[in-house]
């Protein structure tokens, strides 16, 4: 008999809130009829936990169906249809795609994560591991005839069709796709227990999750704990014992918990009291579903002024046509969610609400500090709102530093805004790298100058009218034409080099000397826009960089594609 029939959960710290969002998302995805949001959290009937392990994995499999490896194999059918005809009509265009799939398929079918699951697929008449080992990429010999090529293609396609047809079976998808979820998403956030414990890697992970998280919660709710002497350190529910399965620690959450068996000195008088109840344990298991994830990176917005707002801020769709093709797209969509929720009210009137918005980013590659935290400042959100189009325009713009090293302009710009830093150093570095590489500075960098100017205006620190920036760039283009007309185009790179160095060191005298000498050489009047450089350092750099972009401009039609 259940002592408690309804579970009520309320917001707490950021990690717990991420778990709440995840648990809510999973229940909502399963159409839980008793699920009800309130201002501080949500509640649901205990019956919604029936088959929760199925609902848990189905949520991930549906949400991330276009980025999980298993689903890429399913789409292989599109390439296999009439492949022979396509090859001989349109030559080798499809061979590369097929071979990429074969490489990935072979790797996954013979991987430990998949192999450990095959014993659970008892009624299948295929040995995935052996089929994977036999797979070979399509290769032709130099003197192969069309008949010989056709034979190689047929043999490969027949193997792929056989594997593909078996992969589509419901039970196979359930177990293999959920394994992708475990090792591509869940293990980024927690590890070393339950479905992610090494000793359990051959067990049925659905059953294992049920035993470790769902059943412990239900058993806990069945007990009369009114006289228990301990309390959960998160929700304050009663706990009868400081050991499993009555209570749990947090060491299993990556880089969050303390190993109390080896580091008891973290606690008062060496006595650990930071135990959580089984309900909170289930909530923390749902943290991966609270984040939006993209290939080892994730983002979560702790906009906790109310629970509805918290859920909506993190509601990002990963459907195929939604336009998320990179982590930067995901980040941009997340900010757009926040902006949409604020557009009905002036941002200046939302000060208190903005001060409570935390942005938590997760990066799997940063093993020591996977989480980074920032507060979404009023200045930053104003820039995000006003410069939405220009920020979207630079999403896929990179500056090549070396063969293996690129600067992502979007990422670098957002990081500077996070840290309340102006973009002048980024602009100078980007221009210098491009100038050193091929003597050409790309026009799209003008977007950084406009964004930086908006940032200056938002902070009330010496921004200027955008028309002046546009004029400075135009005068730079005009300057270049004067040198061409004088057949002295070869002097332009030297002048650019001097101007870039003077701006990097904020040396106004060197910048103006170079400009004055150049116009004296041309016999032209110095444009009045240059006088703006005398106002302050920010004006010098803004006008200066726009002028240089004009000098190095190659395509006038690319000016300010972002618009305003």
């Amino acid at each position: 008999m259940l002592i408690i029939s309804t579970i009520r959960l309320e917001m707490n710290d950021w990690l717990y809130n991420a778990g709440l969002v995840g648990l809510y998302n999973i229940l909502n995805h399963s159409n839980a009829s008793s699920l009800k949001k309130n201002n501080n959290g949500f509640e649901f009937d205990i019956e919604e936990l029936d088959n929760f392990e199925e609902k848990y994995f189905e949520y991930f499999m549906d949400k991330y169906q276009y980025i999980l490896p298993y689903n890429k194999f399913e789409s292989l059918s599109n390439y296999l249809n009439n492949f022979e005809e396509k090859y001989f009509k349109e030559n080798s265009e499809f061979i590369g795609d097929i071979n990429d799939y074969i490489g990935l398929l072979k790797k996954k079918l013979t991987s430990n994560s998949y192999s450990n699951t095959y014993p659970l697929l008892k009624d299948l008449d295929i040995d995935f591991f052996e089929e994977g080992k036999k797979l070979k990429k399509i290769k032709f010999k130099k003197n192969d005839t069309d008949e010989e090529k056709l034979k190689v293609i047929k043999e490969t396609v027949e193997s792929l069709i056989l594997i593909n047809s078996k992969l589509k079976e419901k039970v196979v998808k359930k177990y293999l796709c959920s394994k992708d979820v475990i090792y591509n998403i869940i293990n980024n956030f927690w590890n070393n227990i339950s479905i992610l414990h090494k000793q359990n890697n051959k067990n049925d992970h659905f059953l294992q999750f049920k035993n470790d998280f769902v059943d412990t919660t239900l058993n806990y709710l069945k007990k009369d704990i009114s006289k228990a002497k301990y309390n959960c350190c998160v929700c304050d529910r009663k706990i009868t014992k400081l050991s499993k399965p009555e209570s749990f620690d947090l060491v299993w959450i990556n880089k969050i918990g303390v190993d109390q068996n080896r580091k008891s000195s973290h606690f008062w008088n060496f006595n650990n009291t930071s135990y959580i109840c089984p309900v909170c344990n289930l909530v923390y298991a749902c943290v991966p579903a609270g984040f939006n994830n993209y290939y080892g990176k994730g983002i979560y917005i702790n906009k906790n002024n109310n629970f509805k707002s918290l859920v909506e801020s993190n509601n990002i769709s990963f459907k195929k046509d939604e336009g998320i093709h990179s982590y930067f797209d995901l980040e941009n969509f997340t900010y757009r969610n926040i902006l949409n929720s604020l557009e009905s009210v002036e941002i200046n009137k939302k000060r208190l609400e903005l001060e409570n918005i935390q942005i938590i980013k997760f990066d799997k590659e940063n093993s020591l500090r996977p989480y980074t935290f920032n507060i979404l400042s009023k200045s930053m959100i104003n820039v995000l709102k006003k410069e939405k189009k220009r920020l979207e325009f630079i999403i896929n713009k990179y500056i090549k530093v070396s063969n293996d090293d690129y600067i992502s302009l979007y990422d670098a710009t957002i990081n500077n805004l996070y840290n309340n830093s102006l973009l002048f150093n980024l602009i100078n570095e980007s221009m210098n790298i491009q100038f050193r590489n091929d003597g050409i500075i790309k026009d799209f960098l003008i977007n950084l100058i406009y964004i930086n100017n908006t940032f200056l205006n938002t902070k009330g620190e010496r921004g200027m009218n955008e028309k002046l920036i546009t004029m400075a760039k135009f005068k730079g283009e005009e300057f270049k034409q004067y040198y061409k007309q004088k057949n002295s185009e070869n002097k332009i790179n030297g002048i650019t080099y001097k101007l870039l160095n003077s701006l990097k060191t904020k040396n106004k005298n060197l910048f103006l000397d170079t400009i004055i000498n150049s116009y004296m050489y041309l016999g032209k009047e110095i444009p009045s826009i240059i006088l703006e450089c005398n106002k302050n350092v920010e004006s010098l750099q803004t006008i200066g960089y726009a002028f240089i972009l004009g000098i190095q401009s190659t395509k006038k039609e690319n000016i300010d594609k972002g618009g305003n």
Side-chain angles (χ1 to χ4, degrees):
M1 176 182 175
L2 288 170
I3 301 296
I4 299 173
S5 60
T6 301
I7 299 179
R8 294 184 179 85
L9 302 169
E10 294 188 347
M11 293 185 290
N12 201 305
D13 60 79
W14 72 271
L15 185 62
Y16 188 78
N17 290 353
L20 284 189
V21 172
L23 179 55
Y24 179 87
N25 286 341
I26 293 164
L27 293 173
N28 191 46
H29 180 262
S30 68
N31 297 317
S33 58
S34 65
L35 187 62
K36 293 177 185 174
K37 277 188 283 194
N38 56 49
N39 194 50
N40 292 320
F42 63 98
E43 64 180 49
F44 58 95
D45 291 345
I46 201 74
E47 286 77 13
E48 306 292 358
L49 291 183
D50 291 345
N51 294 319
F52 183 78
E53 65 280 3
E54 302 277 348
K55 300 170 184 175
Y56 183 83
F57 287 106
E58 282 175 7
Y59 170 79
F60 290 106
M61 289 190 283
D62 285 351
K63 175 160 184 170
Y64 298 107
Q65 59 180 308
Y66 294 108
I67 61 175
L68 292 173
Y70 171 86
N71 291 295
K72 290 182 180 177
F73 306 144
E74 277 200 324
S75 64
L76 186 62
S77 302
N78 298 330
Y79 286 91
L80 297 179
N81 293 332
N82 305 316
F83 179 72
E84 300 159 21
E85 185 182 347
K86 285 177 185 173
Y87 173 73
F88 285 104
K89 274 188 176 179
E90 304 175 41
N91 214 332
S92 59
E93 183 179 339
F94 298 94
I95 294 289
D97 291 331
I98 289 287
N99 280 343
D100 287 345
Y101 274 112
I102 291 173
L104 184 59
L105 187 60
K106 184 182 181 74
K107 181 180 177 182
K108 290 297 293 184
L109 290 179
T110 56
S111 68
N112 289 335
S113 62
Y114 274 23
S115 299
N116 290 334
T117 310
Y118 298 150
L120 303 172
L121 311 174
K122 294 176 182 175
D123 298 329
L124 283 181
D125 55 351
I126 183 172
D127 187 332
F128 280 125
F129 185 81
E130 289 300 321
E131 292 296 330
K133 281 174 62 179
K134 287 190 288 185
L135 276 176
K136 292 180 181 177
K137 293 184 179 181
I138 297 175
K139 288 182 181 177
F140 302 125
K141 294 176 183 175
K142 187 176 180 180
N143 298 321
D144 273 354
T145 63
D146 281 353
E147 288 74 19
E148 288 167 330
K149 291 179 180 177
L150 182 61
K151 183 183 176 187
V152 174
I153 289 174
K154 279 189 171 180
E155 288 175 353
T156 306
V157 169
E158 283 174 4
S159 300
L160 291 174
I161 288 175
L162 173 66
I163 296 171
N164 195 240
S165 65
K166 299 298 179 184
L167 284 172
K168 286 181 176 178
E169 292 195 18
K170 190 174 178 180
V171 66
V172 178
K173 179 173 183 176
K174 173 184 173 180
Y175 280 99
L176 296 190
C177 194
S178 56
K179 277 285 185 176
D180 282 345
V181 168
I182 292 172
Y183 291 107
N184 287 277
I185 297 175
I186 296 174
N187 74 339
N188 292 331
F189 298 90
W190 55 267
N191 217 328
N192 298 323
I193 66 163
S194 187
I195 54 176
L196 281 161
H197 196 287
K198 289 180 181 178
Q199 291 181 352
N200 298 331
N201 58 13
K202 293 184 180 180
N203 295 348
D204 184 330
H205 43 281
F206 285 84
L207 187 58
Q208 191 73 49
F209 187 90
K210 179 178 183 295
N211 292 339
D212 294 334
F213 292 103
V214 185
D215 287 351
T216 52
T217 301
L218 292 173
N219 292 335
Y220 169 77
L221 297 174
K222 289 176 183 176
K223 293 180 180 176
D224 180 3
I225 53 172
S226 58
K227 296 182 181 179
K229 64 178 182 178
Y230 302 107
N231 294 85
C232 171
C233 68
V234 175
C235 68
D236 209 35
R237 289 186 183 88
K238 294 286 185 180
I239 298 173
T240 54
K241 293 180 182 177
L242 298 182
S243 60
K244 297 177 182 178
E246 304 299 327
S247 63
F248 302 84
D249 55 34
L250 287 172
V251 71
W252 54 285
I253 302 176
N254 295 343
K255 302 298 178 184
I256 295 292
V258 176
D259 188 344
Q260 57 207 27
N261 292 325
R262 288 185 289 182
K263 296 182 179 179
S264 57
S265 58
H266 281 74
F267 307 99
W268 170 252
N269 206 23
F270 296 90
N271 291 322
N272 177 28
T273 55
S274 61
Y275 286 88
I276 60 174
C277 68
V279 178
C280 290
N281 201 47
L282 178 64
V283 171
Y284 283 116
C286 297
V287 166
F291 273 74
N292 285 294
N293 303 280
Y294 193 89
Y295 293 113
K297 291 189 174 184
I299 187 167
Y300 163 73
I301 306 296
N302 194 32
K303 188 170 181 286
N304 58 356
N305 53 312
N306 60 66
F307 188 70
K308 180 185 176 186
S309 177
L310 184 67
V311 172
E312 288 178 351
S313 297
N314 293 286
N315 183 21
I316 303 291
S317 171
F318 279 71
K319 291 180 181 175
K320 193 172 185 179
D321 299 327
E322 294 292 334
I324 294 181
H325 305 295
S326 68
Y327 176 73
F328 303 130
D329 288 329
L330 171 60
E331 196 170 359
N332 199 41
F333 270 67
T334 304
Y335 294 139
R336 193 182 299 174
N337 261 8
I338 299 172
L339 294 176
N340 288 340
S341 69
L342 295 173
E343 280 188 348
S344 59
V345 183
E346 288 182 29
I347 291 173
N348 287 337
K349 296 178 181 178
K350 305 281 281 185
R351 181 179 60 82
L352 292 177
E353 186 175 326
L354 287 175
E355 285 177 352
N356 288 326
I357 300 178
Q358 281 180 297
I359 300 173
I360 296 98
K361 291 184 178 180
F362 173 85
D363 187 352
K364 181 182 179 181
E365 298 300 319
N366 190 346
S367 57
L368 293 177
R369 296 174 58 198
Y371 297 103
T372 55
F373 302 83
N374 284 96
I375 298 293
L376 197 58
S377 67
K378 189 173 71 176
S379 299
M380 182 175 177
I381 205 163
N382 267 314
V383 176
L384 291 176
K385 185 175 182 179
K386 292 179 180 175
E387 297 294 348
K388 187 162 63 174
K389 290 184 179 178
R390 286 184 178 128
L391 284 165
E392 287 176 356
F393 181 74
I394 62 170
I395 276 182
N396 292 315
K397 298 291 185 294
Y398 296 87
I399 302 296
K400 183 178 180 181
V401 181
S402 64
N403 287 338
D404 302 320
D405 191 11
Y406 290 81
I407 296 174
S408 161
L409 286 186
Y410 180 84
D411 199 26
T413 300
I414 291 294
N415 283 335
N416 273 277
L417 296 177
Y418 268 149
N419 297 323
N420 208 27
S421 301
L422 296 175
L423 304 180
F424 287 127
N425 286 340
L426 174 63
I427 294 168
N428 191 287
E429 185 182 5
S430 302
M431 285 187 175
N432 257 310
I433 291 171
Q434 288 192 330
F435 185 67
R436 286 200 307 269
N437 285 346
D438 52 19
I440 297 173
I441 300 175
K442 300 288 176 58
D443 285 345
F444 57 70
L445 290 176
I446 191 68
N447 289 282
L448 297 192
I449 298 175
Y450 285 125
I451 293 169
N452 186 62
N453 189 61
T454 300
F455 191 39
L456 280 166
N457 279 325
T458 301
K459 296 170 68 177
E461 295 179 7
R462 303 175 177 180
M464 60 176 56
N465 190 313
E466 282 197 355
K467 290 179 181 176
L468 297 178
I469 300 173
T470 307
M471 177 59 69
K473 186 170 186 294
F474 172 75
K475 288 299 177 183
E477 293 166 4
E478 194 178 65
F479 179 87
K480 181 179 180 180
Q481 292 305 317
Y482 289 153
Y483 267 84
K484 280 187 176 180
Q485 291 166 9
K486 208 173 172 58
N487 293 322
S488 300
E489 197 174 357
N490 60 334
K491 296 181 183 295
I492 289 178
N493 281 350
I495 295 169
T496 303
Y497 179 76
K498 283 184 179 177
L499 293 177
L500 276 174
N501 277 344
S502 64
L503 293 177
K504 184 177 182 180
T505 55
K506 303 175 185 177
N507 190 333
K508 183 177 71 176
N509 292 334
L510 178 58
F511 181 83
L512 291 178
D513 282 349
T514 307
I515 292 285
I516 291 169
N517 288 334
S518 299
Y519 275 97
M520 285 178 66
Y521 170 77
L522 293 169
K524 299 285 184 182
E525 185 178 349
I526 298 172
S528 59
I529 189 70
I530 297 298
L531 296 177
E532 295 290 327
C533 297
N534 284 315
K535 287 186 174 177
N536 50 57
V537 175
E538 289 80 9
S539 297
L540 167 71
Q541 291 180 296
T542 303
I543 294 296
Y545 286 124
F547 187 78
I548 291 172
L549 267 176
I551 295 176
Q552 291 291 329
S553 176
T554 54
K555 294 178 182 178
K556 289 185 179 181
E557 64 272 17
N558 279 349
I559 298 171
D560 189 19
K561 277 188 175 179
N564 192 16

